[in-house]
Amino acid sequence: MTAFSRAIEDEVRDRKGHTLFLGGETPMALVSYRALAFALAPFVVCSSLAFSSALAQNAETTSPASGFTNALPELVEGKRTFLPAYFNDITPQTAADMVVRIPGFSIDDGESVRGFGAAAGNVLIDGSRPTSKNESLFSILARIPAGNVERIELLEGAAAGALAPGKSLVVNVVRKTNNKASGKWEVQATGVGSGRIKPKLDTSYTSKIAGFNVTTGLHAEIENVEDFIGFEGILSPAGVYTERGPNDDRRRSKYAQATFALDGKIGETKLNANGSYMEGKFRRTWVHVAFRPNATLPFRVDEGLETNNTQRWEIGGDLERDVAGWTGKLALLAKATEDENSDLAGFNAVGQAKNFGRFIASSTNEERVGRLTFKRKFGAHQIETGGEVAFNRLDFIGQYAEGNGTIFVVRPSDISSTEVSENRREAFISDSWTISPKLTLESTLTGEWSTIEQTGASGKKRSFFYPKPRVKAAWKPQDGWTYRIEVERVVGQLDFGAFADSASVGDSNQNSGNPELRPEQIWSGLIGIERRWGKRGVINASLVQEKFEDQLTLVPTRNGGVALGNVPEAERWGYNVTWTIPLSALLTGLELEGNYRWRDSELIDPITNQARPFSGWNGKNFNTNISYEIPKKKLRMGAWYWRGNNNREYRPNQTFQWGTIDSWGAWIETKAYKNLSLEFGVEDPLGTTFNRLRTDFTPDRRSGVVRQTQYRERSKDGTWYLLVKGTF
């Protein structure tokens, strides 16, 4: 008997009495908690830093002297140089193993936006940023064998800004010039409670061909085999179930990707090139059987099918050489993604003819980018200037139809065709100024010009210009302490998908395209403090304030529909705390890492004209893990815990609220065998439960009159995994 069959029997046996529970707080509790949390933030930060000072004093008496090869490198002109010996205790196999070990540093892939500028990450390879936008920095680092790494540099302040403007911390992985041919492979099997297995394969090989480093890679995996089993029901305004029943949601996905990279020199010119191709498939089937109160037979069966097929390719590269005392660099990129989507759902009474709604869409998204930069050092100043041109285009065709599941009827009015293109130009100049060994200042001024043109029934052409200044300062009054202040104007990029019609058939919701959208503009400020001690100890805390103009949220349209639109003003604020705390005083090799992010936000709701938080935004996240390592036995183990706060989405006549999610796991890894790593772990071994509350208002949220609510609760099995990695 399947889990879904058992769930149906449970519904028949017990038709009465179910307590409605949704993880999270009541609105009043949320307000109180947010106000209290932000008020207590300075005290939390001060307490944390005081605690770190006590640990630092203890570490100074127990940690090795700075002359030891595995001690924390000293900061020299904004740079800490980590030699391979620093990482001996973890026996790294790849550069990725080494970079994630650097205390106080987290890999940041940059923003998922058009162009190069804002998409820049915080990891460089031999002083250059990878030109790929389809691959993560971790994946690129994982293809560099640890034996080919000469050193890793952690850059701060002006030194970071000189190589990657806008980043406070940057890692530069410097490879050996005499790299030997080598490769790495990785095989993982992940199992779920029902016995299904998700396999994953990743392999790459690097060799020298005509003086160039050439790396090829292949990645393939079945990414998703999860079943979500639970129930959902409809409640009246009085909170009484009018219907409920079991729900079965099954999701399957897989993808494969091939990659290629080349780097070397042609005379005095450095050359980097890369390419990738990926194909992926996703399929989701779901069914819900609805019962009336006290009934033993269902009166309605809801069912749906969603599919997605994706093809994606990318080719890019850069040339770098000295030109009249300046270092010039030209980067080029071309990429495209093709998607085929289908979303079908039916809500059919038992014994009656079936009727389904179906939305299918086909889209092609293309991007072409060119960026030219020049940089030069003038005494204490590092000047960089340049520009970028980018062309992006989206072709979209979507249609809605209704039918019996086999034959569908499409009305001409239910077909939408949209082409959106953007020509964007950007010019900038930045100065990274080392005022003194303790004080650095980075300032940047960028101008952005863009023209967005949309064809189709809502065709329109608009042009925008936005100046984007940025100032960042870092002060180190004494060793181990850093204070940062940052002010920046950020201009968001419009999602081309917001110009086209879309639908969530399963929730009976449709969104119209909006040709009048304007980009968000954000004034962002940050004040941060960092405390480092010993070999790995670090605590980093910061306060964040953001002021929005033209913030994006769902708004009603003139014809009674819903579309993404702009509200004039909005605000978001909060704080971040990250920590790496060695606990050697308790047990040698024990360490605690983690981070906590808290945000609150406010905008004037376009429906109710009342203040509310941003839509669909998670305000609180907590993550921590504790690890223990025994270097002599080449053994590491640990456990982790993650908690994500509930968030709420607002539509003109609905709200969706998701419950808090708790997740945890444990792992153990051994590298006792030469060139081989074995890791076994479990994630949520007792399973995970997700819940959602949808509230429908009549006629909209302005009235405050609830028509009905839908409560959904689903669970998925825990997983285990066995990961085997090796080098050759």
Side-chain angles (χ1 to χ4, degrees), residues 399-662:
Q399 66 175 33
Y400 179 78
E402 293 186 355
N404 61 8
T406 303
I407 300 175
F408 289 87
V409 177
V410 181
R411 296 176 301 181
S413 60
D414 291 330
I415 300 176
S416 63
S417 177
T418 302
E419 179 179 326
V420 184
S421 64
E422 179 189 45
N423 282 289
R424 188 176 57 81
R425 302 169 303 283
E426 182 178 284
F428 76 95
I429 183 169
S430 68
D431 174 23
S432 297
W433 179 18
T434 303
I435 301 173
S436 73
K438 296 183 178 182
L439 181 62
T440 61
L441 178 67
E442 179 197 339
S443 54
T444 303
L445 179 61
T446 302
E448 178 184 301
W449 297 260
S450 66
T451 299
I452 296 179
E453 184 174 4
Q454 179 181 358
T455 63
S458 302
K460 193 159 191 173
K461 182 177 181 180
R462 296 174 299 155
S463 296
F464 303 94
F465 169 72
Y466 295 104
K468 300 187 294 185
R470 178 177 63 226
V471 177
K472 296 190 175 186
W475 178 45
K476 296 179 177 293
Q478 62 188 63
D479 187 39
W481 291 88
T482 303
Y483 298 86
R484 294 187 178 92
I485 184 169
E486 304 175 3
V487 178
E488 179 178 12
R489 190 191 194 204
V490 179
V491 177
Q493 293 186 0
L494 295 174
D495 182 355
F496 281 178
F499 291 90
D501 295 343
S502 62
S504 174
V505 183
D507 281 319
S508 301
N509 285 326
Q510 298 185 41
N511 291 344
S512 302
N514 184 0
E516 302 292 340
L517 282 177
R518 298 179 299 278
E520 290 180 332
Q521 306 113 63
I522 310 166
W523 279 102
S524 174
L526 179 146
I527 298 175
I529 182 172
E530 178 185 272
R531 174 66 168 122
R532 289 182 178 269
W533 71 93
K535 177 185 176 181
R536 291 186 47 76
V538 57
I539 290 181
N540 196 318
S542 59
L543 299 176
V544 180
Q545 180 79 30
E546 296 172 307
K547 296 278 190 178
F548 288 73
E549 298 177 35
D550 292 327
Q551 208 267 342
L552 296 173
T553 193
L554 289 174
V555 300
T557 61
R558 295 175 182 175
N559 61 1
V562 179
L564 194 66
N566 297 100
V567 294
E569 296 180 347
E571 188 175 2
R572 184 166 62 197
W573 61 92
Y575 59 86
N576 310 300
V577 181
T578 63
W579 58 87
T580 300
I581 302 176
L583 301 175
S584 299
L586 301 176
L587 181 64
T588 302
L590 191 65
E591 185 173 274
L592 181 68
E593 293 182 285
N595 62 78
Y596 180 69
R597 184 197 68 182
W598 182 89
R599 293 289 191 277
D600 197 2
S601 58
E602 183 178 286
L603 59 80
I604 300 302
D605 191 293
I607 301 296
T608 65
N609 290 321
Q610 301 296 316
R612 67 161 172 85
F614 290 2
S615 180
W617 207 82
N618 190 345
K620 298 188 286 291
N621 273 323
F622 173 79
N623 175 53
T624 190
N625 65 83
I626 188 167
S627 61
Y628 174 58
E629 59 186 48
I630 310 175
K632 291 183 178 180
K633 296 185 179 294
K634 297 186 177 181
L635 185 68
R636 301 178 68 223
M637 63 192 72
W640 55 269
Y641 171 75
W642 178 86
R643 180 179 177 87
N645 186 46
N646 58 323
N647 63 69
R648 187 186 294 263
E649 179 181 327
Y650 297 84
R651 296 179 64 86
N653 65 336
Q654 295 173 326
T655 61
F656 293 81
Q657 184 170 347
W658 284 263
T660 299
I661 299 174
D662 294 279

Side-chain angles (χ1 to χ4, degrees), residues 29 32 88 94 124 218 231 238 264 276 297 320 330 332 357 359 438 445 458 480 573 582 597 671 699 708 713:
S32 301
N88 283 346
T94 67
L124 309 176
L218 176 65
F231 78 95
S276 66
L297 294 176
E320 181 179 323
L330 173 65
L332 302 171
F359 185 80
K438 296 183 178 182
L445 179 61
S458 302
W573 61 92
R597 184 197 68 182
K671 295 182 178 178
Q708 66 177 24
E713 183 174 295

Side-chain angles (χ1 to χ4, degrees), residues 9-27:
E9 288 196 357
D10 291 342
E11 288 295 324
V12 174
R13 283 195 299 264
D14 182 15
R15 303 303 311 149
K16 296 183 179 180
H18 182 82
T19 301
L20 177 62
F21 171 78
L22 182 69
E25 302 89 348
T26 65

Side-chain angles (χ1 to χ4, degrees), residues 39-271:
L40 290 178
F43 299 99
V44 173
V45 172
C46 293
S47 299
S48 300
L49 295 173
F51 178 56
S52 72
S53 297
L55 290 172
Q57 292 176 1
N58 180 68
E60 288 169 359
T61 62
T62 60
S63 61
S66 59
F68 282 55
T69 56
N70 67 342
L72 180 70
E74 293 185 1
L75 185 67
V76 179
E77 296 183 349
K79 178 171 65 179
R80 300 183 192 271
T81 301
F82 295 81
L83 299 176
Y86 179 87
F87 308 95
N88 283 346
D89 52 357
I90 62 167
T91 317
Q93 291 185 323
T94 67
D97 296 335
M98 304 167 81
V99 170
V100 299
R101 186 67 173 170
I102 294 177
F105 179 81
S106 298
I107 296 176
D108 177 8
D109 286 307
E111 299 180 40
S112 180
V113 294
R114 300 183 290 276
F116 273 132
N122 61 353
V123 174
L124 309 176
I125 311 294
D126 295 327
S128 299
R129 59 159 291 190
T131 54
S132 174
K133 293 178 64 178
N134 283 349
E135 291 190 86
S136 69
L137 291 172
F138 185 89
S139 298
I140 295 171
L141 292 171
R143 290 199 293 270
I144 302 176
N148 289 349
V149 176
E150 180 176 294
R151 66 183 184 275
I152 296 179
E153 300 169 343
L154 178 64
L155 307 164
E156 306 178 23
L163 289 179
K167 302 297 182 182
S168 300
L169 289 175
V170 174
V171 154
N172 181 32
V173 177
V174 181
R175 294 174 296 179
K176 297 176 180 177
T177 56
N178 58 342
N179 286 341
K180 297 180 180 179
S182 59
K184 72 101 179 179
W185 57 270
E186 178 179 314
V187 177
Q188 180 172 322
T190 301
V192 297
S194 60
R196 294 181 305 278
I197 302 293
K198 298 189 296 182
K200 181 174 75 173
L201 169 68
D202 189 278
T203 183
S204 64
Y205 182 71
T206 302
S207 60
K208 283 277 191 180
I209 300 179
F212 288 89
N213 296 310
V214 179
T215 301
T216 55
L218 176 65
H219 181 101
E221 69 174 294
I222 294 179
E223 190 177 27
N224 198 333
V225 295
E226 295 174 330
D227 292 348
F228 295 82
I229 306 297
F231 78 95
E232 62 183 72
I234 302 295
L235 295 93
S236 69
V240 178
Y241 274 108
T242 59
E243 64 175 77
R244 63 183 291 237
N247 186 291
D248 185 324
D249 188 334
R250 300 171 184 258
R251 307 179 186 189
R252 307 289 184 264
S253 63
K254 57 184 177 180
Y255 77 96
Q257 177 170 273
T259 59
F260 167 83
L262 175 148
D263 66 87
K265 275 192 170 185
I266 302 177
E268 297 300 317
T269 302
K270 291 174 59 178
L271 169 66

